[in-house]
Amino acid sequence: MDEQKLKKLQGWVEEARRMVFFGGAGVSTESGIPDFRGEDGLYRQRYAYPPETIISHSFYVHHPEIFFDFYRNRMLYPNAKPNIVHRKLAQWEKEGKLLAVVTQNIDGLHQMAGSQNVYELHGSVHRNTCQKCGARYTMEELLTLGDVPKCPKCGGRGKPDVVLYEEGLDNLTGALDAIRRADLLIVAGTSLTVYPAAAFLDEYPGNRLVLINKTETPRDDIANLALHEKLGEVFERL
Ligand code: NAD
């Protein structure tokens, strides 16, 4: 751990009154949910189709069996629990230091840890909707509706409220608003290769932009502080 950098971050967190945290899949790897592009990530595994193809809107429409097989086996982690990162962010919100969490994750772990103001850009596995009658289902309910979930009310097909490739991001306005108002922006556990999310950093007007990621990202150069560490190890010390 780079102690000098950590000390600077500790000071900034201490002083923050309107912190915003912008996170990606790396926030939940220490809860046992693999990321997409990290060393054990989904994109390093082999499937008959590339993951980007399987989790696209047109694939959901035309190949629902393969879509749901992948979705259940690779994207749902019903037993995952929040880790120190989720818990500390919820605590900072309660203490009035943190304005919002903006997340690319779909696992709901920030809310499970107690965070209230969470902008989910890519939706959530915990909300599901019948495409025909609009009935809503929890993740647990969806799992009881068959291999390709069939609505018990109308026979329509269920769909997770997860933003698929070819679909637009959720909650853009709220997320960008929060980032523009932040006094400290911590960007963590994201490879910053997916746009437009990666461009959010450009909306932050201040000079306390912190990047925490195990590996380098294409945006390290614009950070005021970049730490290449495991998130859990950094957050244990904040
Ligand atoms: P990504 O997989 O592209 O990148 C994750 C980054 O986090 C990698 O650079 C990796 O090195 C880093 N990382 C992993 N574990 C870390 C740790 N413990 N400490 C520090 N850094 C760590 O993730 P992304 O940019 O968020 O990818 C975007 C897509 O992945 C999103 O669309 C998101 O919806 C989806 N996704 C979500 C989940 C989830 O909900 N938990 C899981 C996998 C993928």
Side-chain angles (χ1 to χ4, degrees), residues 156-193:
R157 191 193 296 170
K159 181 179 178 291
D161 290 8
V162 163
V163 175
L164 302 176
Y165 285 92
E166 302 161 2
E167 297 176 343
L169 293 191
D170 286 346
N171 294 311
L172 259 184
T173 312
L176 289 176
D177 241 37
I179 288 172
R180 289 181 188 127
R181 291 175 54 209
D183 59 359
L184 165 64
L185 177 65
I186 301 181
V187 180
T190 172
S191 58
L192 293 176
T193 49

PDB file of all heavy atoms in Angstrom, residues 156-193:
ATOM      1  N   GLY A 156     -47.081 -14.029 -20.559  1.00  0.00           N
ATOM      2  CA  GLY A 156     -46.022 -13.237 -21.210  1.00  0.00           C
ATOM      3  C   GLY A 156     -44.643 -13.615 -20.690  1.00  0.00           C
ATOM      4  O   GLY A 156     -44.520 -14.363 -19.715  1.00  0.00           O
ATOM      5  N   ARG A 157     -43.606 -13.090 -21.340  1.00  0.00           N
ATOM      6  CA  ARG A 157     -42.244 -13.437 -20.924  1.00  0.00           C
ATOM      7  C   ARG A 157     -41.701 -12.401 -19.927  1.00  0.00           C
ATOM      8  O   ARG A 157     -41.840 -11.192 -20.151  1.00  0.00           O
ATOM      9  CB  ARG A 157     -41.316 -13.490 -22.140  1.00  0.00           C
ATOM     10  CG  ARG A 157     -39.952 -14.105 -21.797  1.00  0.00           C
ATOM     11  CD  ARG A 157     -38.942 -13.885 -22.878  1.00  0.00           C
ATOM     12  NE  ARG A 157     -39.291 -14.540 -24.126  1.00  0.00           N
ATOM     13  CZ  ARG A 157     -38.646 -14.315 -25.259  1.00  0.00           C
ATOM     14  NH1 ARG A 157     -37.617 -13.478 -25.305  1.00  0.00           N
ATOM     15  NH2 ARG A 157     -39.017 -14.926 -26.362  1.00  0.00           N
ATOM     16  N   GLY A 158     -41.081 -12.893 -18.867  1.00  0.00           N
ATOM     17  CA  GLY A 158     -40.466 -12.005 -17.878  1.00  0.00           C
ATOM     18  C   GLY A 158     -39.129 -11.487 -18.374  1.00  0.00           C
ATOM     19  O   GLY A 158     -38.445 -12.159 -19.148  1.00  0.00           O
ATOM     20  N   LYS A 159     -38.785 -10.280 -17.925  1.00  0.00           N
ATOM     21  CA  LYS A 159     -37.463  -9.734 -18.276  1.00  0.00           C
ATOM     22  C   LYS A 159     -36.877  -9.043 -17.048  1.00  0.00           C
ATOM     23  O   LYS A 159     -37.575  -8.274 -16.378  1.00  0.00           O
ATOM     24  CB  LYS A 159     -37.590  -8.725 -19.416  1.00  0.00           C
ATOM     25  CG  LYS A 159     -36.260  -8.131 -19.852  1.00  0.00           C
ATOM     26  CD  LYS A 159     -36.425  -7.136 -21.001  1.00  0.00           C
ATOM     27  CE  LYS A 159     -35.093  -6.524 -21.399  1.00  0.00           C
ATOM     28  NZ  LYS A 159     -34.553  -5.623 -20.357  1.00  0.00           N
ATOM     29  N   PRO A 160     -35.611  -9.336 -16.759  1.00  0.00           N
ATOM     30  CA  PRO A 160     -34.976  -8.608 -15.659  1.00  0.00           C
ATOM     31  C   PRO A 160     -34.873  -7.125 -16.026  1.00  0.00           C
ATOM     32  O   PRO A 160     -34.612  -6.801 -17.193  1.00  0.00           O
ATOM     33  CB  PRO A 160     -33.578  -9.236 -15.576  1.00  0.00           C
ATOM     34  CG  PRO A 160     -33.575 -10.417 -16.483  1.00  0.00           C
ATOM     35  CD  PRO A 160     -34.707 -10.286 -17.434  1.00  0.00           C
ATOM     36  N   ASP A 161     -35.046  -6.239 -15.047  1.00  0.00           N
ATOM     37  CA  ASP A 161     -34.865  -4.798 -15.289  1.00  0.00           C
ATOM     38  C   ASP A 161     -33.369  -4.478 -15.273  1.00  0.00           C
ATOM     39  O   ASP A 161     -32.895  -3.639 -14.496  1.00  0.00           O
ATOM     40  CB  ASP A 161     -35.569  -3.961 -14.210  1.00  0.00           C
ATOM     41  CG  ASP A 161     -37.085  -4.032 -14.303  1.00  0.00           C
ATOM     42  OD1 ASP A 161     -37.600  -4.833 -15.102  1.00  0.00           O
ATOM     43  OD2 ASP A 161     -37.750  -3.301 -13.550  1.00  0.00           O
ATOM     44  N   VAL A 162     -32.649  -5.183 -16.111  1.00  0.00           N
ATOM     45  CA  VAL A 162     -31.209  -5.001 -16.234  1.00  0.00           C
ATOM     46  C   VAL A 162     -30.985  -4.402 -17.610  1.00  0.00           C
ATOM     47  O   VAL A 162     -31.614  -4.836 -18.582  1.00  0.00           O
ATOM     48  CB  VAL A 162     -30.509  -6.378 -16.106  1.00  0.00           C
ATOM     49  CG1 VAL A 162     -29.103  -6.335 -16.633  1.00  0.00           C
ATOM     50  CG2 VAL A 162     -30.518  -6.850 -14.654  1.00  0.00           C
ATOM     51  N   VAL A 163     -30.144  -3.395 -17.677  1.00  0.00           N
ATOM     52  CA  VAL A 163     -29.909  -2.728 -18.957  1.00  0.00           C
ATOM     53  C   VAL A 163     -29.026  -3.624 -19.828  1.00  0.00           C
ATOM     54  O   VAL A 163     -27.870  -3.893 -19.479  1.00  0.00           O
ATOM     55  CB  VAL A 163     -29.259  -1.349 -18.740  1.00  0.00           C
ATOM     56  CG1 VAL A 163     -28.891  -0.711 -20.070  1.00  0.00           C
ATOM     57  CG2 VAL A 163     -30.198  -0.443 -17.949  1.00  0.00           C
ATOM     58  N   LEU A 164     -29.575  -4.091 -20.928  1.00  0.00           N
ATOM     59  CA  LEU A 164     -28.835  -4.991 -21.817  1.00  0.00           C
ATOM     60  C   LEU A 164     -28.098  -4.163 -22.877  1.00  0.00           C
ATOM     61  O   LEU A 164     -28.410  -2.988 -23.084  1.00  0.00           O
ATOM     62  CB  LEU A 164     -29.820  -5.949 -22.501  1.00  0.00           C
ATOM     63  CG  LEU A 164     -30.663  -6.794 -21.547  1.00  0.00           C
ATOM     64  CD1 LEU A 164     -31.684  -7.634 -22.318  1.00  0.00           C
ATOM     65  CD2 LEU A 164     -29.770  -7.708 -20.694  1.00  0.00           C
ATOM     66  N   TYR A 165     -27.136  -4.780 -23.524  1.00  0.00           N
ATOM     67  CA  TYR A 165     -26.508  -4.117 -24.668  1.00  0.00           C
ATOM     68  C   TYR A 165     -27.614  -3.777 -25.669  1.00  0.00           C
ATOM     69  O   TYR A 165     -28.588  -4.516 -25.782  1.00  0.00           O
ATOM     70  CB  TYR A 165     -25.451  -5.016 -25.315  1.00  0.00           C
ATOM     71  CG  TYR A 165     -24.186  -5.095 -24.482  1.00  0.00           C
ATOM     72  CD1 TYR A 165     -24.016  -6.097 -23.533  1.00  0.00           C
ATOM     73  CD2 TYR A 165     -23.176  -4.143 -24.606  1.00  0.00           C
ATOM     74  CE1 TYR A 165     -22.874  -6.160 -22.739  1.00  0.00           C
ATOM     75  CE2 TYR A 165     -22.028  -4.194 -23.824  1.00  0.00           C
ATOM     76  CZ  TYR A 165     -21.884  -5.204 -22.897  1.00  0.00           C
ATOM     77  OH  TYR A 165     -20.759  -5.253 -22.110  1.00  0.00           O
ATOM     78  N   GLU A 166     -27.489  -2.658 -26.328  1.00  0.00           N
ATOM     79  CA  GLU A 166     -28.494  -2.098 -27.261  1.00  0.00           C
ATOM     80  C   GLU A 166     -29.562  -1.287 -26.535  1.00  0.00           C
ATOM     81  O   GLU A 166     -30.442  -0.721 -27.163  1.00  0.00           O
ATOM     82  CB  GLU A 166     -29.193  -3.181 -28.111  1.00  0.00           C
ATOM     83  CG  GLU A 166     -28.244  -4.028 -28.941  1.00  0.00           C
ATOM     84  CD  GLU A 166     -28.857  -5.345 -29.400  1.00  0.00           C
ATOM     85  OE1 GLU A 166     -30.034  -5.617 -29.111  1.00  0.00           O
ATOM     86  OE2 GLU A 166     -28.127  -6.095 -30.078  1.00  0.00           O
ATOM     87  N   GLU A 167     -29.526  -1.246 -25.186  1.00  0.00           N
ATOM     88  CA  GLU A 167     -30.514  -0.456 -24.443  1.00  0.00           C
ATOM     89  C   GLU A 167     -29.829   0.756 -23.800  1.00  0.00           C
ATOM     90  O   GLU A 167     -28.611   0.750 -23.588  1.00  0.00           O
ATOM     91  CB  GLU A 167     -31.168  -1.308 -23.342  1.00  0.00           C
ATOM     92  CG  GLU A 167     -31.952  -2.493 -23.890  1.00  0.00           C
ATOM     93  CD  GLU A 167     -32.522  -3.411 -22.813  1.00  0.00           C
ATOM     94  OE1 GLU A 167     -32.069  -3.352 -21.649  1.00  0.00           O
ATOM     95  OE2 GLU A 167     -33.420  -4.198 -23.143  1.00  0.00           O
ATOM     96  N   GLY A 168     -30.632   1.783 -23.479  1.00  0.00           N
ATOM     97  CA  GLY A 168     -30.062   3.013 -22.902  1.00  0.00           C
ATOM     98  C   GLY A 168     -29.873   2.907 -21.397  1.00  0.00           C
ATOM     99  O   GLY A 168     -30.514   2.101 -20.737  1.00  0.00           O
ATOM    100  N   LEU A 169     -28.973   3.723 -20.857  1.00  0.00           N
ATOM    101  CA  LEU A 169     -28.711   3.717 -19.408  1.00  0.00           C
ATOM    102  C   LEU A 169     -29.884   4.293 -18.621  1.00  0.00           C
ATOM    103  O   LEU A 169     -30.596   5.157 -19.104  1.00  0.00           O
ATOM    104  CB  LEU A 169     -27.484   4.575 -19.091  1.00  0.00           C
ATOM    105  CG  LEU A 169     -26.122   4.107 -19.584  1.00  0.00           C
ATOM    106  CD1 LEU A 169     -25.023   4.934 -18.943  1.00  0.00           C
ATOM    107  CD2 LEU A 169     -25.906   2.639 -19.263  1.00  0.00           C
ATOM    108  N   ASP A 170     -30.039   3.814 -17.387  1.00  0.00           N
ATOM    109  CA  ASP A 170     -31.045   4.347 -16.455  1.00  0.00           C
ATOM    110  C   ASP A 170     -30.437   5.477 -15.617  1.00  0.00           C
ATOM    111  O   ASP A 170     -29.226   5.499 -15.393  1.00  0.00           O
ATOM    112  CB  ASP A 170     -31.460   3.252 -15.445  1.00  0.00           C
ATOM    113  CG  ASP A 170     -32.350   2.202 -16.066  1.00  0.00           C
ATOM    114  OD1 ASP A 170     -32.852   2.434 -17.172  1.00  0.00           O
ATOM    115  OD2 ASP A 170     -32.531   1.145 -15.431  1.00  0.00           O
ATOM    116  N   ASN A 171     -31.293   6.328 -15.094  1.00  0.00           N
ATOM    117  CA  ASN A 171     -30.903   7.296 -14.052  1.00  0.00           C
ATOM    118  C   ASN A 171     -29.749   8.220 -14.403  1.00  0.00           C
ATOM    119  O   ASN A 171     -29.015   8.669 -13.522  1.00  0.00           O
ATOM    120  CB  ASN A 171     -30.525   6.547 -12.757  1.00  0.00           C
ATOM    121  CG  ASN A 171     -31.708   5.844 -12.155  1.00  0.00           C
ATOM    122  OD1 ASN A 171     -32.763   6.448 -11.994  1.00  0.00           O
ATOM    123  ND2 ASN A 171     -31.559   4.574 -11.843  1.00  0.00           N
ATOM    124  N   LEU A 172     -29.586   8.489 -15.695  1.00  0.00           N
ATOM    125  CA  LEU A 172     -28.464   9.326 -16.137  1.00  0.00           C
ATOM    126  C   LEU A 172     -28.492  10.709 -15.501  1.00  0.00           C
ATOM    127  O   LEU A 172     -27.461  11.190 -15.009  1.00  0.00           O
ATOM    128  CB  LEU A 172     -28.557   9.503 -17.654  1.00  0.00           C
ATOM    129  CG  LEU A 172     -27.640   8.641 -18.495  1.00  0.00           C
ATOM    130  CD1 LEU A 172     -27.774   9.005 -19.951  1.00  0.00           C
ATOM    131  CD2 LEU A 172     -26.198   8.837 -18.022  1.00  0.00           C
ATOM    132  N   THR A 173     -29.681  11.338 -15.510  1.00  0.00           N
ATOM    133  CA  THR A 173     -29.758  12.725 -15.045  1.00  0.00           C
ATOM    134  C   THR A 173     -29.374  12.839 -13.575  1.00  0.00           C
ATOM    135  O   THR A 173     -28.550  13.677 -13.204  1.00  0.00           O
ATOM    136  CB  THR A 173     -31.197  13.263 -15.241  1.00  0.00           C
ATOM    137  OG1 THR A 173     -31.585  12.916 -16.562  1.00  0.00           O
ATOM    138  CG2 THR A 173     -31.272  14.741 -15.060  1.00  0.00           C
ATOM    139  N   GLY A 174     -29.956  11.963 -12.741  1.00  0.00           N
ATOM    140  CA  GLY A 174     -29.659  12.007 -11.308  1.00  0.00           C
ATOM    141  C   GLY A 174     -28.186  11.740 -11.047  1.00  0.00           C
ATOM    142  O   GLY A 174     -27.552  12.415 -10.220  1.00  0.00           O
ATOM    143  N   ALA A 175     -27.615  10.776 -11.753  1.00  0.00           N
ATOM    144  CA  ALA A 175     -26.217  10.408 -11.545  1.00  0.00           C
ATOM    145  C   ALA A 175     -25.295  11.580 -11.911  1.00  0.00           C
ATOM    146  O   ALA A 175     -24.390  11.944 -11.155  1.00  0.00           O
ATOM    147  CB  ALA A 175     -25.870   9.181 -12.376  1.00  0.00           C
ATOM    148  N   LEU A 176     -25.550  12.188 -13.051  1.00  0.00           N
ATOM    149  CA  LEU A 176     -24.693  13.291 -13.506  1.00  0.00           C
ATOM    150  C   LEU A 176     -24.837  14.503 -12.600  1.00  0.00           C
ATOM    151  O   LEU A 176     -23.853  15.186 -12.294  1.00  0.00           O
ATOM    152  CB  LEU A 176     -25.025  13.662 -14.953  1.00  0.00           C
ATOM    153  CG  LEU A 176     -24.595  12.611 -15.981  1.00  0.00           C
ATOM    154  CD1 LEU A 176     -25.032  13.006 -17.377  1.00  0.00           C
ATOM    155  CD2 LEU A 176     -23.084  12.395 -15.932  1.00  0.00           C
ATOM    156  N   ASP A 177     -26.058  14.744 -12.154  1.00  0.00           N
ATOM    157  CA  ASP A 177     -26.322  15.849 -11.226  1.00  0.00           C
ATOM    158  C   ASP A 177     -25.488  15.706  -9.959  1.00  0.00           C
ATOM    159  O   ASP A 177     -24.872  16.659  -9.495  1.00  0.00           O
ATOM    160  CB  ASP A 177     -27.797  15.767 -10.815  1.00  0.00           C
ATOM    161  CG  ASP A 177     -28.540  17.001 -11.208  1.00  0.00           C
ATOM    162  OD1 ASP A 177     -28.230  17.530 -12.282  1.00  0.00           O
ATOM    163  OD2 ASP A 177     -29.413  17.409 -10.409  1.00  0.00           O
ATOM    164  N   ALA A 178     -25.508  14.497  -9.403  1.00  0.00           N
ATOM    165  CA  ALA A 178     -24.761  14.235  -8.168  1.00  0.00           C
ATOM    166  C   ALA A 178     -23.264  14.447  -8.407  1.00  0.00           C
ATOM    167  O   ALA A 178     -22.578  15.098  -7.607  1.00  0.00           O
ATOM    168  CB  ALA A 178     -25.034  12.813  -7.681  1.00  0.00           C
ATOM    169  N   ILE A 179     -22.761  13.933  -9.518  1.00  0.00           N
ATOM    170  CA  ILE A 179     -21.319  14.057  -9.805  1.00  0.00           C
ATOM    171  C   ILE A 179     -20.922  15.529  -9.955  1.00  0.00           C
ATOM    172  O   ILE A 179     -19.879  15.957  -9.478  1.00  0.00           O
ATOM    173  CB  ILE A 179     -20.959  13.220 -11.056  1.00  0.00           C
ATOM    174  CG1 ILE A 179     -21.017  11.728 -10.698  1.00  0.00           C
ATOM    175  CG2 ILE A 179     -19.585  13.601 -11.613  1.00  0.00           C
ATOM    176  CD1 ILE A 179     -20.872  10.777 -11.865  1.00  0.00           C
ATOM    177  N   ARG A 180     -21.797  16.324 -10.550  1.00  0.00           N
ATOM    178  CA  ARG A 180     -21.492  17.756 -10.739  1.00  0.00           C
ATOM    179  C   ARG A 180     -21.467  18.500  -9.406  1.00  0.00           C
ATOM    180  O   ARG A 180     -20.830  19.527  -9.275  1.00  0.00           O
ATOM    181  CB  ARG A 180     -22.524  18.386 -11.677  1.00  0.00           C
ATOM    182  CG  ARG A 180     -22.362  17.912 -13.106  1.00  0.00           C
ATOM    183  CD  ARG A 180     -23.389  18.562 -14.042  1.00  0.00           C
ATOM    184  NE  ARG A 180     -23.319  17.944 -15.360  1.00  0.00           N
ATOM    185  CZ  ARG A 180     -24.361  17.432 -16.007  1.00  0.00           C
ATOM    186  NH1 ARG A 180     -25.579  17.480 -15.483  1.00  0.00           N
ATOM    187  NH2 ARG A 180     -24.211  16.890 -17.187  1.00  0.00           N
ATOM    188  N   ARG A 181     -22.191  17.963  -8.403  1.00  0.00           N
ATOM    189  CA  ARG A 181     -22.256  18.643  -7.101  1.00  0.00           C
ATOM    190  C   ARG A 181     -21.226  18.109  -6.101  1.00  0.00           C
ATOM    191  O   ARG A 181     -21.113  18.625  -4.980  1.00  0.00           O
ATOM    192  CB  ARG A 181     -23.657  18.456  -6.494  1.00  0.00           C
ATOM    193  CG  ARG A 181     -24.736  19.217  -7.242  1.00  0.00           C
ATOM    194  CD  ARG A 181     -26.105  18.900  -6.668  1.00  0.00           C
ATOM    195  NE  ARG A 181     -26.158  19.128  -5.231  1.00  0.00           N
ATOM    196  CZ  ARG A 181     -26.959  18.465  -4.396  1.00  0.00           C
ATOM    197  NH1 ARG A 181     -27.760  17.516  -4.852  1.00  0.00           N
ATOM    198  NH2 ARG A 181     -26.969  18.748  -3.121  1.00  0.00           N
ATOM    199  N   ALA A 182     -20.463  17.087  -6.487  1.00  0.00           N
ATOM    200  CA  ALA A 182     -19.580  16.403  -5.532  1.00  0.00           C
ATOM    201  C   ALA A 182     -18.397  17.275  -5.111  1.00  0.00           C
ATOM    202  O   ALA A 182     -17.837  18.002  -5.935  1.00  0.00           O
ATOM    203  CB  ALA A 182     -19.066  15.119  -6.159  1.00  0.00           C
ATOM    204  N   ASP A 183     -18.019  17.188  -3.819  1.00  0.00           N
ATOM    205  CA  ASP A 183     -16.757  17.829  -3.420  1.00  0.00           C
ATOM    206  C   ASP A 183     -15.603  16.818  -3.492  1.00  0.00           C
ATOM    207  O   ASP A 183     -14.440  17.201  -3.614  1.00  0.00           O
ATOM    208  CB  ASP A 183     -16.864  18.497  -2.033  1.00  0.00           C
ATOM    209  CG  ASP A 183     -17.238  17.540  -0.904  1.00  0.00           C
ATOM    210  OD1 ASP A 183     -17.444  16.336  -1.176  1.00  0.00           O
ATOM    211  OD2 ASP A 183     -17.327  18.004   0.245  1.00  0.00           O
ATOM    212  N   LEU A 184     -15.935  15.541  -3.420  1.00  0.00           N
ATOM    213  CA  LEU A 184     -14.929  14.477  -3.590  1.00  0.00           C
ATOM    214  C   LEU A 184     -15.581  13.390  -4.439  1.00  0.00           C
ATOM    215  O   LEU A 184     -16.703  12.970  -4.135  1.00  0.00           O
ATOM    216  CB  LEU A 184     -14.544  13.907  -2.206  1.00  0.00           C
ATOM    217  CG  LEU A 184     -13.784  12.577  -2.169  1.00  0.00           C
ATOM    218  CD1 LEU A 184     -12.405  12.704  -2.821  1.00  0.00           C
ATOM    219  CD2 LEU A 184     -13.602  12.113  -0.709  1.00  0.00           C
ATOM    220  N   LEU A 185     -14.913  12.985  -5.516  1.00  0.00           N
ATOM    221  CA  LEU A 185     -15.454  11.900  -6.351  1.00  0.00           C
ATOM    222  C   LEU A 185     -14.500  10.715  -6.287  1.00  0.00           C
ATOM    223  O   LEU A 185     -13.326  10.833  -6.658  1.00  0.00           O
ATOM    224  CB  LEU A 185     -15.614  12.368  -7.813  1.00  0.00           C
ATOM    225  CG  LEU A 185     -16.105  11.288  -8.803  1.00  0.00           C
ATOM    226  CD1 LEU A 185     -17.527  10.827  -8.463  1.00  0.00           C
ATOM    227  CD2 LEU A 185     -16.066  11.806 -10.245  1.00  0.00           C
ATOM    228  N   ILE A 186     -15.008   9.594  -5.778  1.00  0.00           N
ATOM    229  CA  ILE A 186     -14.198   8.366  -5.752  1.00  0.00           C
ATOM    230  C   ILE A 186     -14.744   7.428  -6.823  1.00  0.00           C
ATOM    231  O   ILE A 186     -15.921   7.062  -6.808  1.00  0.00           O
ATOM    232  CB  ILE A 186     -14.262   7.668  -4.377  1.00  0.00           C
ATOM    233  CG1 ILE A 186     -13.754   8.605  -3.276  1.00  0.00           C
ATOM    234  CG2 ILE A 186     -13.438   6.374  -4.403  1.00  0.00           C
ATOM    235  CD1 ILE A 186     -13.756   7.985  -1.872  1.00  0.00           C
ATOM    236  N   VAL A 187     -13.887   7.068  -7.762  1.00  0.00           N
ATOM    237  CA  VAL A 187     -14.262   6.160  -8.857  1.00  0.00           C
ATOM    238  C   VAL A 187     -13.508   4.860  -8.603  1.00  0.00           C
ATOM    239  O   VAL A 187     -12.280   4.878  -8.472  1.00  0.00           O
ATOM    240  CB  VAL A 187     -13.861   6.756 -10.220  1.00  0.00           C
ATOM    241  CG1 VAL A 187     -14.251   5.822 -11.354  1.00  0.00           C
ATOM    242  CG2 VAL A 187     -14.500   8.132 -10.404  1.00  0.00           C
ATOM    243  N   ALA A 188     -14.221   3.738  -8.492  1.00  0.00           N
ATOM    244  CA  ALA A 188     -13.538   2.535  -8.026  1.00  0.00           C
ATOM    245  C   ALA A 188     -14.077   1.248  -8.629  1.00  0.00           C
ATOM    246  O   ALA A 188     -15.275   1.126  -8.890  1.00  0.00           O
ATOM    247  CB  ALA A 188     -13.650   2.453  -6.506  1.00  0.00           C
ATOM    248  N   GLY A 189     -13.162   0.292  -8.872  1.00  0.00           N
ATOM    249  CA  GLY A 189     -13.565  -1.035  -9.320  1.00  0.00           C
ATOM    250  C   GLY A 189     -14.228  -1.031 -10.684  1.00  0.00           C
ATOM    251  O   GLY A 189     -15.121  -1.833 -10.940  1.00  0.00           O
ATOM    252  N   THR A 190     -13.783  -0.134 -11.525  1.00  0.00           N
ATOM    253  CA  THR A 190     -14.332  -0.117 -12.876  1.00  0.00           C
ATOM    254  C   THR A 190     -13.193   0.054 -13.876  1.00  0.00           C
ATOM    255  O   THR A 190     -12.267   0.836 -13.643  1.00  0.00           O
ATOM    256  CB  THR A 190     -15.408   0.986 -13.068  1.00  0.00           C
ATOM    257  OG1 THR A 190     -15.755   1.072 -14.441  1.00  0.00           O
ATOM    258  CG2 THR A 190     -14.955   2.345 -12.576  1.00  0.00           C
ATOM    259  N   SER A 191     -13.277  -0.699 -14.976  1.00  0.00           N
ATOM    260  CA  SER A 191     -12.199  -0.650 -15.973  1.00  0.00           C
ATOM    261  C   SER A 191     -12.305   0.617 -16.817  1.00  0.00           C
ATOM    262  O   SER A 191     -11.400   0.920 -17.586  1.00  0.00           O
ATOM    263  CB  SER A 191     -12.261  -1.893 -16.858  1.00  0.00           C
ATOM    264  OG  SER A 191     -13.529  -1.975 -17.490  1.00  0.00           O
ATOM    265  N   LEU A 192     -13.404   1.360 -16.677  1.00  0.00           N
ATOM    266  CA  LEU A 192     -13.621   2.612 -17.414  1.00  0.00           C
ATOM    267  C   LEU A 192     -13.457   2.441 -18.918  1.00  0.00           C
ATOM    268  O   LEU A 192     -12.916   3.305 -19.598  1.00  0.00           O
ATOM    269  CB  LEU A 192     -12.706   3.717 -16.875  1.00  0.00           C
ATOM    270  CG  LEU A 192     -13.022   4.170 -15.443  1.00  0.00           C
ATOM    271  CD1 LEU A 192     -12.012   5.190 -14.946  1.00  0.00           C
ATOM    272  CD2 LEU A 192     -14.438   4.748 -15.342  1.00  0.00           C
ATOM    273  N   THR A 193     -13.918   1.303 -19.402  1.00  0.00           N
ATOM    274  CA  THR A 193     -13.849   1.056 -20.845  1.00  0.00           C
ATOM    275  C   THR A 193     -15.240   1.111 -21.469  1.00  0.00           C
ATOM    276  O   THR A 193     -15.367   1.006 -22.688  1.00  0.00           O
ATOM    277  CB  THR A 193     -13.235  -0.331 -21.146  1.00  0.00           C
ATOM    278  OG1 THR A 193     -13.898  -1.286 -20.331  1.00  0.00           O
ATOM    279  CG2 THR A 193     -11.758  -0.364 -20.833  1.00  0.00           C
TER     280      THR A 193
END
